[in-house]
Amino acid sequence: MRRDVILETIMTVYQFVGGELASSSDTEILVQKASDLAGTLRSDVAYLIDGSIDMGSQSIIVPQGGLTLMGNGFNIAQLTTSVTNATLFVDDGVFAGDLFLRMMDIEVTGTGAKVFDLDNNENSDAIEFDAVNFNNCTSLGSMDSYRQLLARNVAFFAPADGLEFIGPWSGGLAIVDTIVILLPSGATLFKAGTGFLVGASVRSDMNALSVDASSTIFDFAPSNITPDGGFSLSNFRTAADDALPNFPSSSVKANFSNCIGISNTFPGGNWSISSAATTTIGMVDTLVKLAGTTTYNGLQWFTGSNNNEFVFESTQEIDIVVSGILTFTGGANDEMAVQIRRFDDSASSYVNVGSEFSTTISSGGRASNLPFRGVTTVAENDRIEVWVKNLTDDTDITGSVGGSVAIGERSSV
């Protein structure tokens, strides 16, 4: 919700009565002191934070039915505490429900203090931050077994210790239009705790350019993400030297694009012929898989255990471009052709990719270059191979050392 809309809403529900602000609706409760957030809170109202509230040692118990707290802007609506070992948000000892925070600052600075200690106990509830600043917090604390977290238009200013995610999260995390500033040396902003497992996705476009070079933004590992491509960073920016120490961009669980400070994900790779071998033709105008030893480089989302075989290892189908330039020797003046082929694992059969590309081997059987290209869609365990045929007779064909083939995810052009 836009700030102007929220301000208008809050002004509408407040009325000036006898020199004091009061709620004008039975769906909002005005909060002007810590005791207004004490004890059992209601889940069917929005608590409207009026000014800066020092919570002291008092925790806010998030009821099982959920809790909504709203302010009217940064540096205006605040929840703070500087008490040693204070925890701002806690569950009721069984589980906490939904928690929605909007348009406010949170500042928890006491020694050993933290913002959250919440366990949803897999009750499929959500946490949402919308236009919230977390300022100078000793620790952001932990969240356990929620369905999902949405952080939108959020700022993390100088957190000494980050937020730990524990247990299974059937949905995941979306951290968008968000910034972290002054993350100190050795600190981790988002941490994978015991049993953390995302069922859907983690996605972020966060600006983490103003952090210490030795800090960590996500310490998640591929084992924390269930679906392939489920860790999605797009336009993510960071100045940390190793912002994701446990999550290589080449993992099938990663999908990083247009990022600064981390490697992007480039599904694909290439092979080149490192040792030539003769391809036995046997019959004119008949496709045969190209022989030879192929050496692979830069593989992401593909494996290359066998010669002349790119094997797709992700469960997420993608469109790819296959291109190459190979050099052939064979019978003088023989016409030959190259055909890209995809082995469809689901159907256990081959499909030709694009057209045949042909050339005529030079007189005397000297090497002839042949470029080729094709576009196709690959699914898990599909293979991309290069096959050849002799269109003139059954003379054998040899692919020369140095010829190469590359594959990569198709762009919009």
Side-chain angles (χ1 to χ4, degrees), residues 335-381:
E335 188 177 4
M336 63 154 296
V338 164
Q339 176 69 63
I340 302 167
R341 307 196 80 191
R342 174 173 61 87
F343 179 78
D344 183 343
D345 183 69
S346 64
S348 297
S349 61
Y350 280 97
V351 178
N352 290 340
V353 176
S355 304
E356 288 185 359
F357 292 78
S358 61
T359 188
T360 299
I361 296 175
S362 300
S363 61
R366 293 190 299 274
S368 297
N369 295 329
L370 179 57
F372 53 91
R373 185 179 186 274
V375 177
T376 189
T377 300
V378 288
E380 188 176 18
N381 295 321

mmCIF file of all heavy atoms in Angstrom, residues 335-381:
data_model
loop_
_atom_site.group_PDB
_atom_site.id
_atom_site.type_symbol
_atom_site.label_atom_id
_atom_site.label_comp_id
_atom_site.label_asym_id
_atom_site.label_seq_id
_atom_site.Cartn_x
_atom_site.Cartn_y
_atom_site.Cartn_z
ATOM 1 N N GLU A 335 29.457 -35.097 -50.506
ATOM 2 C CA GLU A 335 28.561 -34.171 -49.813
ATOM 3 C C GLU A 335 28.137 -34.810 -48.500
ATOM 4 O O GLU A 335 27.768 -35.985 -48.454
ATOM 5 C CB GLU A 335 27.335 -33.860 -50.666
ATOM 6 C CG GLU A 335 26.476 -32.763 -50.059
ATOM 7 C CD GLU A 335 25.286 -32.399 -50.931
ATOM 8 O OE1 GLU A 335 25.087 -33.055 -51.981
ATOM 9 O OE2 GLU A 335 24.553 -31.466 -50.554
ATOM 10 N N MET A 336 28.229 -34.036 -47.421
ATOM 11 C CA MET A 336 27.873 -34.553 -46.093
ATOM 12 C C MET A 336 26.964 -33.556 -45.384
ATOM 13 O O MET A 336 26.804 -32.414 -45.822
ATOM 14 C CB MET A 336 29.131 -34.790 -45.244
ATOM 15 C CG MET A 336 29.932 -33.533 -44.954
ATOM 16 S SD MET A 336 30.904 -33.628 -43.430
ATOM 17 C CE MET A 336 29.629 -33.757 -42.174
ATOM 18 N N ALA A 337 26.345 -33.992 -44.288
ATOM 19 C CA ALA A 337 25.427 -33.131 -43.543
ATOM 20 C C ALA A 337 25.577 -33.366 -42.047
ATOM 21 O O ALA A 337 25.973 -34.442 -41.591
ATOM 22 C CB ALA A 337 23.988 -33.393 -43.973
ATOM 23 N N VAL A 338 25.243 -32.328 -41.285
ATOM 24 C CA VAL A 338 25.192 -32.380 -39.825
ATOM 25 C C VAL A 338 23.747 -32.181 -39.392
ATOM 26 O O VAL A 338 23.026 -31.331 -39.946
ATOM 27 C CB VAL A 338 26.085 -31.290 -39.192
ATOM 28 C CG1 VAL A 338 25.736 -31.077 -37.724
ATOM 29 C CG2 VAL A 338 27.547 -31.662 -39.316
ATOM 30 N N GLN A 339 23.325 -32.948 -38.390
ATOM 31 C CA GLN A 339 21.981 -32.815 -37.826
ATOM 32 C C GLN A 339 22.092 -32.795 -36.301
ATOM 33 O O GLN A 339 22.653 -33.700 -35.694
ATOM 34 C CB GLN A 339 21.092 -33.983 -38.244
ATOM 35 C CG GLN A 339 19.701 -33.972 -37.616
ATOM 36 C CD GLN A 339 18.847 -32.830 -38.143
ATOM 37 O OE1 GLN A 339 18.538 -32.777 -39.334
ATOM 38 N NE2 GLN A 339 18.464 -31.905 -37.264
ATOM 39 N N ILE A 340 21.574 -31.721 -35.684
ATOM 40 C CA ILE A 340 21.450 -31.693 -34.213
ATOM 41 C C ILE A 340 20.276 -32.590 -33.842
ATOM 42 O O ILE A 340 19.205 -32.521 -34.460
ATOM 43 C CB ILE A 340 21.204 -30.264 -33.711
ATOM 44 C CG1 ILE A 340 22.326 -29.328 -34.155
ATOM 45 C CG2 ILE A 340 21.075 -30.254 -32.187
ATOM 46 C CD1 ILE A 340 21.994 -27.861 -33.965
ATOM 47 N N ARG A 341 20.471 -33.427 -32.806
ATOM 48 C CA ARG A 341 19.389 -34.322 -32.384
ATOM 49 C C ARG A 341 19.206 -34.233 -30.868
ATOM 50 O O ARG A 341 20.172 -34.059 -30.116
ATOM 51 C CB ARG A 341 19.681 -35.770 -32.779
ATOM 52 C CG ARG A 341 20.016 -35.965 -34.253
ATOM 53 C CD ARG A 341 19.910 -37.421 -34.661
ATOM 54 N NE ARG A 341 18.523 -37.809 -34.897
ATOM 55 C CZ ARG A 341 18.104 -39.070 -35.065
ATOM 56 N NH1 ARG A 341 18.987 -40.063 -34.972
ATOM 57 N NH2 ARG A 341 16.847 -39.348 -35.304
ATOM 58 N N ARG A 342 17.946 -34.291 -30.484
ATOM 59 C CA ARG A 342 17.605 -34.333 -29.056
ATOM 60 C C ARG A 342 17.015 -35.695 -28.724
ATOM 61 O O ARG A 342 16.041 -36.112 -29.353
ATOM 62 C CB ARG A 342 16.595 -33.233 -28.699
ATOM 63 C CG ARG A 342 16.078 -33.322 -27.254
ATOM 64 C CD ARG A 342 15.205 -32.120 -26.898
ATOM 65 N NE ARG A 342 14.028 -32.011 -27.739
ATOM 66 C CZ ARG A 342 12.863 -32.619 -27.489
ATOM 67 N NH1 ARG A 342 12.729 -33.397 -26.413
ATOM 68 N NH2 ARG A 342 11.843 -32.451 -28.305
ATOM 69 N N PHE A 343 17.609 -36.354 -27.727
ATOM 70 C CA PHE A 343 17.008 -37.587 -27.233
ATOM 71 C C PHE A 343 15.976 -37.207 -26.189
ATOM 72 O O PHE A 343 16.297 -36.656 -25.133
ATOM 73 C CB PHE A 343 18.050 -38.519 -26.622
ATOM 74 C CG PHE A 343 17.460 -39.805 -26.084
ATOM 75 C CD1 PHE A 343 17.115 -40.836 -26.945
ATOM 76 C CD2 PHE A 343 17.219 -39.963 -24.730
ATOM 77 C CE1 PHE A 343 16.566 -42.006 -26.467
ATOM 78 C CE2 PHE A 343 16.668 -41.128 -24.229
ATOM 79 C CZ PHE A 343 16.331 -42.155 -25.104
ATOM 80 N N ASP A 344 14.711 -37.458 -26.497
ATOM 81 C CA ASP A 344 13.590 -37.158 -25.601
ATOM 82 C C ASP A 344 13.490 -38.295 -24.592
ATOM 83 O O ASP A 344 13.022 -39.390 -24.918
ATOM 84 C CB ASP A 344 12.313 -37.023 -26.423
ATOM 85 C CG ASP A 344 11.105 -36.641 -25.585
ATOM 86 O OD1 ASP A 344 11.150 -36.779 -24.342
ATOM 87 O OD2 ASP A 344 10.100 -36.204 -26.175
ATOM 88 N N ASP A 345 13.914 -38.014 -23.364
ATOM 89 C CA ASP A 345 13.961 -39.074 -22.358
ATOM 90 C C ASP A 345 12.571 -39.597 -22.018
ATOM 91 O O ASP A 345 12.391 -40.787 -21.771
ATOM 92 C CB ASP A 345 14.646 -38.548 -21.090
ATOM 93 C CG ASP A 345 14.794 -39.608 -20.026
ATOM 94 O OD1 ASP A 345 15.589 -40.543 -20.211
ATOM 95 O OD2 ASP A 345 14.090 -39.513 -18.983
ATOM 96 N N SER A 346 11.570 -38.714 -22.023
ATOM 97 C CA SER A 346 10.219 -39.143 -21.657
ATOM 98 C C SER A 346 9.632 -40.101 -22.681
ATOM 99 O O SER A 346 8.813 -40.963 -22.348
ATOM 100 C CB SER A 346 9.300 -37.923 -21.503
ATOM 101 O OG SER A 346 9.151 -37.255 -22.742
ATOM 102 N N ALA A 347 10.044 -39.966 -23.962
ATOM 103 C CA ALA A 347 9.530 -40.825 -25.027
ATOM 104 C C ALA A 347 10.527 -41.883 -25.467
ATOM 105 O O ALA A 347 10.201 -42.732 -26.308
ATOM 106 C CB ALA A 347 9.135 -39.977 -26.235
ATOM 107 N N SER A 348 11.739 -41.807 -24.920
ATOM 108 C CA SER A 348 12.813 -42.745 -25.295
ATOM 109 C C SER A 348 13.024 -42.787 -26.800
ATOM 110 O O SER A 348 13.148 -43.850 -27.411
ATOM 111 C CB SER A 348 12.505 -44.156 -24.760
ATOM 112 O OG SER A 348 12.468 -44.160 -23.353
ATOM 113 N N SER A 349 13.061 -41.599 -27.416
ATOM 114 C CA SER A 349 13.245 -41.540 -28.870
ATOM 115 C C SER A 349 13.950 -40.243 -29.243
ATOM 116 O O SER A 349 13.972 -39.276 -28.468
ATOM 117 C CB SER A 349 11.903 -41.628 -29.591
ATOM 118 O OG SER A 349 11.072 -40.540 -29.232
ATOM 119 N N TYR A 350 14.516 -40.221 -30.445
ATOM 120 C CA TYR A 350 15.233 -39.046 -30.936
ATOM 121 C C TYR A 350 14.304 -38.122 -31.714
ATOM 122 O O TYR A 350 13.380 -38.566 -32.408
ATOM 123 C CB TYR A 350 16.391 -39.468 -31.837
ATOM 124 C CG TYR A 350 17.620 -39.907 -31.069
ATOM 125 C CD1 TYR A 350 17.864 -41.255 -30.816
ATOM 126 C CD2 TYR A 350 18.543 -38.971 -30.611
ATOM 127 C CE1 TYR A 350 18.999 -41.663 -30.130
ATOM 128 C CE2 TYR A 350 19.682 -39.368 -29.918
ATOM 129 C CZ TYR A 350 19.906 -40.709 -29.676
ATOM 130 O OH TYR A 350 21.021 -41.106 -28.992
ATOM 131 N N VAL A 351 14.594 -36.828 -31.614
ATOM 132 C CA VAL A 351 13.895 -35.799 -32.382
ATOM 133 C C VAL A 351 14.961 -34.941 -33.059
ATOM 134 O O VAL A 351 15.919 -34.496 -32.415
ATOM 135 C CB VAL A 351 13.025 -34.911 -31.466
ATOM 136 C CG1 VAL A 351 12.351 -33.814 -32.277
ATOM 137 C CG2 VAL A 351 12.000 -35.758 -30.714
ATOM 138 N N ASN A 352 14.818 -34.711 -34.342
ATOM 139 C CA ASN A 352 15.742 -33.830 -35.038
ATOM 140 C C ASN A 352 15.464 -32.382 -34.665
ATOM 141 O O ASN A 352 14.306 -31.949 -34.610
ATOM 142 C CB ASN A 352 15.623 -33.998 -36.549
ATOM 143 C CG ASN A 352 16.148 -35.333 -37.027
ATOM 144 O OD1 ASN A 352 16.923 -35.997 -36.329
ATOM 145 N ND2 ASN A 352 15.740 -35.733 -38.222
ATOM 146 N N VAL A 353 16.526 -31.635 -34.410
ATOM 147 C CA VAL A 353 16.414 -30.229 -34.025
ATOM 148 C C VAL A 353 16.807 -29.370 -35.229
ATOM 149 O O VAL A 353 17.969 -29.353 -35.638
ATOM 150 C CB VAL A 353 17.325 -29.916 -32.828
ATOM 151 C CG1 VAL A 353 17.277 -28.415 -32.504
ATOM 152 C CG2 VAL A 353 16.926 -30.754 -31.623
ATOM 153 N N GLY A 354 15.840 -28.680 -35.804
ATOM 154 C CA GLY A 354 16.117 -27.816 -36.936
ATOM 155 C C GLY A 354 16.456 -28.595 -38.192
ATOM 156 O O GLY A 354 16.187 -29.795 -38.325
ATOM 157 N N SER A 355 17.066 -27.894 -39.116
ATOM 158 C CA SER A 355 17.374 -28.462 -40.431
ATOM 159 C C SER A 355 18.733 -29.152 -40.442
ATOM 160 O O SER A 355 19.553 -28.964 -39.543
ATOM 161 C CB SER A 355 17.369 -27.352 -41.483
ATOM 162 O OG SER A 355 16.139 -26.664 -41.490
ATOM 163 N N GLU A 356 18.949 -29.943 -41.500
ATOM 164 C CA GLU A 356 20.288 -30.443 -41.766
ATOM 165 C C GLU A 356 21.143 -29.309 -42.333
ATOM 166 O O GLU A 356 20.643 -28.432 -43.039
ATOM 167 C CB GLU A 356 20.255 -31.578 -42.793
ATOM 168 C CG GLU A 356 19.696 -32.878 -42.295
ATOM 169 C CD GLU A 356 19.804 -33.971 -43.341
ATOM 170 O OE1 GLU A 356 20.301 -33.704 -44.471
ATOM 171 O OE2 GLU A 356 19.390 -35.094 -43.030
ATOM 172 N N PHE A 357 22.424 -29.324 -42.013
ATOM 173 C CA PHE A 357 23.379 -28.364 -42.576
ATOM 174 C C PHE A 357 24.410 -29.164 -43.361
ATOM 175 O O PHE A 357 25.010 -30.094 -42.824
ATOM 176 C CB PHE A 357 24.051 -27.556 -41.464
ATOM 177 C CG PHE A 357 23.122 -26.621 -40.744
ATOM 178 C CD1 PHE A 357 22.231 -27.087 -39.782
ATOM 179 C CD2 PHE A 357 23.113 -25.263 -41.058
ATOM 180 C CE1 PHE A 357 21.372 -26.223 -39.126
ATOM 181 C CE2 PHE A 357 22.249 -24.388 -40.404
ATOM 182 C CZ PHE A 357 21.372 -24.874 -39.439
ATOM 183 N N SER A 358 24.599 -28.813 -44.619
ATOM 184 C CA SER A 358 25.438 -29.646 -45.474
ATOM 185 C C SER A 358 26.620 -28.875 -46.041
ATOM 186 O O SER A 358 26.623 -27.633 -46.090
ATOM 187 C CB SER A 358 24.601 -30.233 -46.617
ATOM 188 O OG SER A 358 24.061 -29.189 -47.407
ATOM 189 N N THR A 359 27.636 -29.620 -46.455
ATOM 190 C CA THR A 359 28.806 -29.071 -47.106
ATOM 191 C C THR A 359 29.397 -30.144 -48.006
ATOM 192 O O THR A 359 29.024 -31.328 -47.907
ATOM 193 C CB THR A 359 29.850 -28.590 -46.080
ATOM 194 O OG1 THR A 359 30.893 -27.881 -46.755
ATOM 195 C CG2 THR A 359 30.470 -29.773 -45.332
ATOM 196 N N THR A 360 30.331 -29.741 -48.850
ATOM 197 C CA THR A 360 31.043 -30.688 -49.687
ATOM 198 C C THR A 360 32.491 -30.760 -49.225
ATOM 199 O O THR A 360 33.166 -29.720 -49.118
ATOM 200 C CB THR A 360 30.998 -30.275 -51.160
ATOM 201 O OG1 THR A 360 29.634 -30.230 -51.595
ATOM 202 C CG2 THR A 360 31.766 -31.275 -52.030
ATOM 203 N N ILE A 361 32.933 -31.976 -48.891
ATOM 204 C CA ILE A 361 34.314 -32.163 -48.472
ATOM 205 C C ILE A 361 35.231 -31.860 -49.648
ATOM 206 O O ILE A 361 34.966 -32.252 -50.787
ATOM 207 C CB ILE A 361 34.531 -33.592 -47.954
ATOM 208 C CG1 ILE A 361 33.672 -33.819 -46.683
ATOM 209 C CG2 ILE A 361 35.999 -33.854 -47.645
ATOM 210 C CD1 ILE A 361 33.703 -35.220 -46.155
ATOM 211 N N SER A 362 36.319 -31.143 -49.378
ATOM 212 C CA SER A 362 37.210 -30.665 -50.441
ATOM 213 C C SER A 362 37.836 -31.822 -51.200
ATOM 214 O O SER A 362 37.933 -32.948 -50.698
ATOM 215 C CB SER A 362 38.314 -29.792 -49.843
ATOM 216 O OG SER A 362 37.756 -28.685 -49.182
ATOM 217 N N SER A 363 38.272 -31.514 -52.399
ATOM 218 C CA SER A 363 38.972 -32.521 -53.195
ATOM 219 C C SER A 363 40.212 -32.992 -52.457
ATOM 220 O O SER A 363 40.874 -32.209 -51.776
ATOM 221 C CB SER A 363 39.354 -31.936 -54.557
ATOM 222 O OG SER A 363 40.215 -30.820 -54.396
ATOM 223 N N GLY A 364 40.494 -34.262 -52.524
ATOM 224 C CA GLY A 364 41.608 -34.822 -51.777
ATOM 225 C C GLY A 364 41.243 -35.118 -50.339
ATOM 226 O O GLY A 364 42.090 -35.545 -49.547
ATOM 227 N N GLY A 365 39.962 -34.890 -49.984
ATOM 228 C CA GLY A 365 39.497 -35.212 -48.630
ATOM 229 C C GLY A 365 39.951 -34.234 -47.572
ATOM 230 O O GLY A 365 39.919 -34.539 -46.382
ATOM 231 N N ARG A 366 40.373 -33.023 -48.003
ATOM 232 C CA ARG A 366 40.857 -32.053 -47.025
ATOM 233 C C ARG A 366 39.709 -31.530 -46.170
ATOM 234 O O ARG A 366 38.544 -31.605 -46.542
ATOM 235 C CB ARG A 366 41.570 -30.913 -47.755
ATOM 236 C CG ARG A 366 42.871 -31.344 -48.436
ATOM 237 C CD ARG A 366 43.647 -30.127 -48.926
ATOM 238 N NE ARG A 366 42.871 -29.357 -49.907
ATOM 239 C CZ ARG A 366 42.848 -29.619 -51.212
ATOM 240 N NH1 ARG A 366 43.524 -30.663 -51.683
ATOM 241 N NH2 ARG A 366 42.147 -28.867 -52.030
ATOM 242 N N ALA A 367 40.087 -30.935 -45.011
ATOM 243 C CA ALA A 367 39.111 -30.492 -44.018
ATOM 244 C C ALA A 367 38.179 -29.435 -44.584
ATOM 245 O O ALA A 367 38.599 -28.543 -45.335
ATOM 246 C CB ALA A 367 39.835 -29.941 -42.796
ATOM 247 N N SER A 368 36.903 -29.529 -44.206
ATOM 248 C CA SER A 368 35.893 -28.552 -44.588
ATOM 249 C C SER A 368 35.133 -28.111 -43.342
ATOM 250 O O SER A 368 34.706 -28.953 -42.532
ATOM 251 C CB SER A 368 34.925 -29.151 -45.601
ATOM 252 O OG SER A 368 35.586 -29.497 -46.794
ATOM 253 N N ASN A 369 34.959 -26.789 -43.184
ATOM 254 C CA ASN A 369 34.243 -26.248 -42.025
ATOM 255 C C ASN A 369 32.737 -26.244 -42.277
ATOM 256 O O ASN A 369 32.293 -25.997 -43.407
ATOM 257 C CB ASN A 369 34.700 -24.818 -41.736
ATOM 258 C CG ASN A 369 36.161 -24.757 -41.326
ATOM 259 O OD1 ASN A 369 36.681 -25.694 -40.720
ATOM 260 N ND2 ASN A 369 36.826 -23.655 -41.660
ATOM 261 N N LEU A 370 31.981 -26.476 -41.204
ATOM 262 C CA LEU A 370 30.528 -26.473 -41.335
ATOM 263 C C LEU A 370 29.904 -25.869 -40.067
ATOM 264 O O LEU A 370 29.909 -26.488 -38.999
ATOM 265 C CB LEU A 370 30.005 -27.891 -41.556
ATOM 266 C CG LEU A 370 28.482 -28.036 -41.691
ATOM 267 C CD1 LEU A 370 27.952 -27.170 -42.838
ATOM 268 C CD2 LEU A 370 28.110 -29.493 -41.916
ATOM 269 N N PRO A 371 29.353 -24.644 -40.154
ATOM 270 C CA PRO A 371 28.613 -24.074 -39.019
ATOM 271 C C PRO A 371 27.169 -24.562 -39.029
ATOM 272 O O PRO A 371 26.600 -24.861 -40.085
ATOM 273 C CB PRO A 371 28.682 -22.569 -39.276
ATOM 274 C CG PRO A 371 28.780 -22.454 -40.759
ATOM 275 C CD PRO A 371 29.510 -23.687 -41.249
ATOM 276 N N PHE A 372 26.562 -24.619 -37.839
ATOM 277 C CA PHE A 372 25.170 -25.066 -37.736
ATOM 278 C C PHE A 372 24.545 -24.488 -36.484
ATOM 279 O O PHE A 372 25.241 -24.046 -35.549
ATOM 280 C CB PHE A 372 25.084 -26.595 -37.730
ATOM 281 C CG PHE A 372 25.961 -27.259 -36.700
ATOM 282 C CD1 PHE A 372 25.485 -27.534 -35.427
ATOM 283 C CD2 PHE A 372 27.277 -27.606 -37.011
ATOM 284 C CE1 PHE A 372 26.300 -28.145 -34.473
ATOM 285 C CE2 PHE A 372 28.099 -28.216 -36.076
ATOM 286 C CZ PHE A 372 27.605 -28.481 -34.799
ATOM 287 N N ARG A 373 23.203 -24.503 -36.442
ATOM 288 C CA ARG A 373 22.471 -23.903 -35.319
ATOM 289 C C ARG A 373 21.069 -24.499 -35.255
ATOM 290 O O ARG A 373 20.478 -24.831 -36.283
ATOM 291 C CB ARG A 373 22.382 -22.389 -35.489
ATOM 292 C CG ARG A 373 21.740 -21.624 -34.321
ATOM 293 C CD ARG A 373 21.753 -20.121 -34.633
ATOM 294 N NE ARG A 373 21.291 -19.320 -33.509
ATOM 295 C CZ ARG A 373 20.031 -19.034 -33.241
ATOM 296 N NH1 ARG A 373 19.070 -19.506 -34.036
ATOM 297 N NH2 ARG A 373 19.701 -18.290 -32.208
ATOM 298 N N GLY A 374 20.533 -24.626 -34.035
ATOM 299 C CA GLY A 374 19.171 -25.102 -33.847
ATOM 300 C C GLY A 374 18.616 -24.658 -32.507
ATOM 301 O O GLY A 374 19.366 -24.300 -31.593
ATOM 302 N N VAL A 375 17.302 -24.653 -32.404
ATOM 303 C CA VAL A 375 16.598 -24.239 -31.187
ATOM 304 C C VAL A 375 15.650 -25.344 -30.776
ATOM 305 O O VAL A 375 14.938 -25.915 -31.622
ATOM 306 C CB VAL A 375 15.813 -22.929 -31.419
ATOM 307 C CG1 VAL A 375 15.018 -22.553 -30.175
ATOM 308 C CG2 VAL A 375 16.747 -21.794 -31.814
ATOM 309 N N THR A 376 15.620 -25.651 -29.469
ATOM 310 C CA THR A 376 14.717 -26.693 -28.979
ATOM 311 C C THR A 376 14.411 -26.461 -27.510
ATOM 312 O O THR A 376 14.945 -25.542 -26.875
ATOM 313 C CB THR A 376 15.348 -28.090 -29.182
ATOM 314 O OG1 THR A 376 14.368 -29.097 -28.890
ATOM 315 C CG2 THR A 376 16.560 -28.296 -28.281
ATOM 316 N N THR A 377 13.537 -27.289 -26.972
ATOM 317 C CA THR A 377 13.195 -27.275 -25.543
ATOM 318 C C THR A 377 13.689 -28.570 -24.923
ATOM 319 O O THR A 377 13.510 -29.645 -25.502
ATOM 320 C CB THR A 377 11.671 -27.162 -25.346
ATOM 321 O OG1 THR A 377 11.216 -25.950 -25.954
ATOM 322 C CG2 THR A 377 11.312 -27.144 -23.871
ATOM 323 N N VAL A 378 14.314 -28.465 -23.750
ATOM 324 C CA VAL A 378 14.822 -29.656 -23.078
ATOM 325 C C VAL A 378 14.148 -29.826 -21.724
ATOM 326 O O VAL A 378 13.844 -28.859 -21.030
ATOM 327 C CB VAL A 378 16.354 -29.615 -22.897
ATOM 328 C CG1 VAL A 378 17.057 -29.822 -24.228
ATOM 329 C CG2 VAL A 378 16.814 -28.319 -22.246
ATOM 330 N N ALA A 379 13.910 -31.083 -21.374
ATOM 331 C CA ALA A 379 13.383 -31.466 -20.072
ATOM 332 C C ALA A 379 14.416 -32.370 -19.393
ATOM 333 O O ALA A 379 15.427 -32.743 -19.980
ATOM 334 C CB ALA A 379 12.044 -32.181 -20.229
ATOM 335 N N GLU A 380 14.134 -32.724 -18.156
ATOM 336 C CA GLU A 380 15.099 -33.488 -17.368
ATOM 337 C C GLU A 380 15.526 -34.765 -18.101
ATOM 338 O O GLU A 380 14.701 -35.509 -18.616
ATOM 339 C CB GLU A 380 14.505 -33.845 -16.012
ATOM 340 C CG GLU A 380 15.505 -34.486 -15.054
ATOM 341 C CD GLU A 380 14.905 -34.747 -13.682
ATOM 342 O OE1 GLU A 380 13.654 -34.761 -13.561
ATOM 343 O OE2 GLU A 380 15.675 -34.927 -12.728
ATOM 344 N N ASN A 381 16.841 -34.980 -18.140
ATOM 345 C CA ASN A 381 17.496 -36.163 -18.719
ATOM 346 C C ASN A 381 17.453 -36.211 -20.251
ATOM 347 O O ASN A 381 17.902 -37.207 -20.836
ATOM 348 C CB ASN A 381 16.930 -37.466 -18.139
ATOM 349 C CG ASN A 381 17.235 -37.607 -16.661
ATOM 350 O OD1 ASN A 381 18.325 -37.254 -16.214
ATOM 351 N ND2 ASN A 381 16.275 -38.114 -15.906
#
